[in-house]
């Protein structure tokens, strides 16, 4: 399949064709996702929870993001991949934001970056776009600032809060972002924003009327078990499959039924006699 570019996603929006998007953090999963034909991949800072077992995304560093982006790029060379800017990699200044956004492209061959926030990060988005980098905005529930939101809570559920989400969406597009992710926003609000903006608007927990859908891969394959947000649909139970496989392995090793003869490398035919000689030489007298 030909690798898509950002204007292919504009074209998909124009044609009313839905965009499929999944997070990914490692090489094998990236291969599965590319083989399955997903349109875009996000190397999310959710890797902090899904891979490292942190309680939130806040401790995730630029170095961790770059490593995981490199692994995903290796596994999905023909897919549009977006690197997620971790907490404090863009909050301090426009200069910092441009420098760190550039690292995703230079060191991990990402196609775009994503950052959280609306109005308040508009100047960061503008600066990164002016450096020639494709930006995806992310508003609604923004996990990096969930402390200020009073926890992982859906946004835009009152008229005033919906107004704030809409203003953020307009600010992100106005600053030059070429895509927008809405997280945990009512479908009515998301539908309005999707219609109102020219750029593709993607949903994670923002209903079916957006231009595309995102899920966290560890949630949808049933690997991440600490909690499951309302918007997740589980398509598999990988945790159960893996645990059962490991239990079986432990049982077979303990009962000595693994490894069997077919798992062994036997000596080359005709070498048995020579080997008996070697054994004789090394046998303690
Ligand atoms: O890091 C991530 O995977 C994200 C999603 C929660 C949208 O930003």
């Amino acid at each position: 399949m030909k690798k898509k570019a950002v204007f292919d996603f504009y074209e998909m929006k124009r044609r009313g064709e839905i965009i499929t998007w999944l997070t990914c953090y490692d090489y094998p999963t990236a291969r599965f996702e590319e083989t399955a034909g997903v349109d875009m991949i996000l190397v999310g800072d959710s890797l902090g929870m899904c891979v490292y077992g942190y309680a939130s995304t806040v401790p995730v560093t630029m170095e961790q993001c770059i490593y995981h982006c490199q692994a995903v790029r290796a596994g999905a060379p023909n897919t549009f991949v977006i690197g997620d800017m971790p907490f404090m990699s863009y909050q301090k200044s426009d200069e910092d934001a441009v420098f760190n956004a550039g690292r995703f492209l230079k060191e991990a061959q990402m196609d775009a970056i994503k950052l959280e926030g609306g109005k308040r990060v508009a100047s960061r988005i503008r600066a990164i776009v002016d450096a020639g980098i494709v930006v995806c905005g992310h508003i609604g529930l923004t996990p990096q600032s969930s402390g200020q939101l009073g926890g992982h809570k859906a946004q835009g559920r009152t008229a005033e809060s919906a107004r704030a989400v809409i203003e953020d969406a307009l600010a992100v597009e106005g600053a030059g972002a070429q895509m927008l992710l809405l997280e945990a926003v009512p479908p009515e609000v998301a539908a309005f924003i999707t219609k109102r903006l020219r750029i593709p608007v993607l949903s994670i927990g923002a209903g079916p009327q957006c231009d595309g859908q995102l899920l966290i891969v560890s949630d949808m394959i049933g690997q991440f078990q600490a909690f499951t947000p309302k918007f997740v649909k589980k398509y598999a139970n990988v945790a159960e499959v893996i645990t059962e496989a490991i239990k079986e392995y432990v049982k077979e090793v303990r009962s000595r039924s693994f490894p069997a003869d077919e798992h062994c490398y036997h000596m080359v035919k005709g070498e048995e006699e020579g080997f008996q000689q070697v054994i004789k030489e090394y046998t303690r007298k």
Side-chain angles (χ1 to χ4, degrees):
M1 199 169 65
K2 189 177 154 278
K3 184 176 164 183
K4 291 189 171 74
V6 72
F7 291 109
D8 292 312
F9 300 121
Y10 277 64
E11 200 38 38
M12 287 174 81
K13 175 175 178 117
R14 199 187 59 75
R15 290 199 299 260
E17 205 179 307
I18 195 93
I19 301 164
T20 58
W21 194 14
L22 270 182
T23 70
C24 186
Y25 318 107
D26 59 62
Y27 169 83
T29 312
R31 294 201 59 170
F32 301 147
E33 290 189 16
E34 183 161 293
T35 303
V38 76
D39 294 309
M40 304 200 297
I41 289 176
L42 171 67
V43 186
D45 64 352
S46 48
L47 65 87
M49 295 149 99
C50 298
V51 178
Y52 291 94
Y54 302 157
S56 78
T57 58
V58 168
V60 173
T61 66
M62 271 301 294
E63 302 316 314
Q64 288 171 316
C65 288
I66 296 286
Y67 286 143
H68 288 275
C69 285
Q70 288 169 342
V72 170
R73 173 48 81 208
N78 296 313
T79 303
F80 191 91
V81 184
I82 302 178
D84 201 10
M85 297 194 70
F87 183 58
M88 291 317 286
S89 68
Y90 58 94
Q91 280 85 351
K92 238 166 56 194
S93 66
D94 288 357
E95 289 71 23
D96 248 33
V98 173
F99 177 78
N100 284 319
R103 288 192 63 193
F104 281 94
L105 275 70
K106 284 177 79 80
E107 298 175 37
Q109 291 77 52
M110 292 292 98
D111 297 295
I113 61 89
K114 175 174 88 56
L115 51 75
E116 295 182 9
K119 276 196 232 173
R120 69 178 173 188
V121 297
S123 86
R124 305 288 189 269
I125 294 174
R126 173 52 64 198
I128 297 169
V129 169
D130 284 348
I133 297 169
V134 175
V135 173
C136 176
H138 175 175
I139 62 169
L141 168 52
T142 45
Q144 289 174 13
S145 48
S146 60
Q148 282 184 339
L149 304 176
H152 283 74
K153 289 197 174 134
Q155 301 296 301
R157 298 183 75 193
T158 63
E160 262 328 285
S161 171
R163 181 197 299 278
V165 176
I166 290 167
E167 284 185 2
D168 276 340
L170 293 171
V172 167
E173 183 177 68
Q178 289 179 288
M179 289 179 207
L180 175 65
L181 174 65
L182 296 178
E183 179 167 353
V185 167
E188 307 85 303
V189 179
F192 175 77
I193 292 171
T194 304
K195 251 202 187 141
R196 178 71 170 72
L197 299 197
R198 286 174 298 104
I199 60 176
V201 176
L202 291 298
S203 152
I204 181 162
Q209 291 174 62
C210 292
D211 300 310
Q213 293 294 329
L214 169 68
L215 277 182
I216 291 185
V217 70
S218 318
D219 287 334
M220 59 84 73
I221 64 172
Q223 186 180 47
F224 181 75
Q225 296 196 298
F227 61 90
T228 305
K230 179 181 168 67
F231 55 71
V232 170
K233 177 172 175 184
K234 288 197 183 189
Y235 288 82
N237 193 343
V238 161
E240 198 176 295
V241 172
I242 294 176
T243 309
E244 282 312 310
I246 295 170
K247 275 188 188 166
E248 193 60 19
Y249 165 75
V250 168
K251 200 170 98 190
E252 290 199 358
V253 169
R254 286 187 179 145
S255 68
R256 297 187 183 274
S257 57
F258 176 84
D261 193 57
E262 74 253 36
H263 306 117
C264 296
Y265 300 96
H266 288 292
M267 292 197 71
V268 174
K269 272 211 168 13
E271 290 295 317
E272 296 85 351
E273 219 175 284
F275 180 54
Q276 287 310 315
Q277 198 51 45
V278 173
I279 286 179
K280 238 188 223 164
E281 274 175 42
Y282 286 91
T283 300
R284 254 188 276 208
K285 304 279 181 274

